[in-house]
Amino acid sequence: SDPHSYIALNNLARLYLRRGEFNNALGLLDSALMTNPQDVRVQYSLYKNRGWANLGLALPGLAEADLRQAIALRADGGAAYCLLGQVLEK
């Protein structure tokens, strides 16, 4: 229930993503990013998931920007590359 708990927000957003509720996920991810987490792994996950949400909402430009940000934070993050491949296919 803490709106500043970016880990909880990210986890809930991921559940929404898996259910195809991209708008709900996007709102949570935006809130989590506004808390400005310093952990690079958390930043990667937030940007990757926001890219996924934007992909689901058919916003490829925003999805690509988020996924490239995730990759810049963690070049070994395979999930972001996979999602970016899907964006570029579209």
Side-chain angles (χ1 to χ4, degrees):
S1 65
D2 181 0
H4 300 292
S5 177
Y6 51 81
I7 293 173
L9 292 169
N10 188 47
N11 288 340
L12 182 56
R14 183 151 169 82
L15 292 173
Y16 280 131
L17 289 168
R18 294 183 77 168
R19 292 176 53 166
E21 297 180 30
F22 302 112
N23 278 321
N24 291 333
L26 192 58
L28 293 171
L29 294 163
D30 286 341
S31 294
L33 282 165
M34 287 187 348
T35 67
N36 197 26
Q38 298 302 304
D39 186 331
V40 171
R41 293 170 300 174
V42 172
Q43 290 176 20
Y44 165 82
S45 186
L46 291 170
Y47 280 109
K48 185 242 331 151
N49 286 339
R50 193 166 77 171
W52 182 4
N54 282 318
L55 174 61
L57 292 170
L59 300 169
L62 294 175
E64 182 177 354
D66 284 334
L67 295 167
R68 290 193 186 280
Q69 179 65 34
I71 290 167
L73 289 164
R74 192 170 160 205
D76 65 339
Y81 284 105
C82 180
L83 288 165
L84 181 59
Q86 292 177 42
V87 169
L88 296 175
E89 275 186 340
K90 294 188 184 284

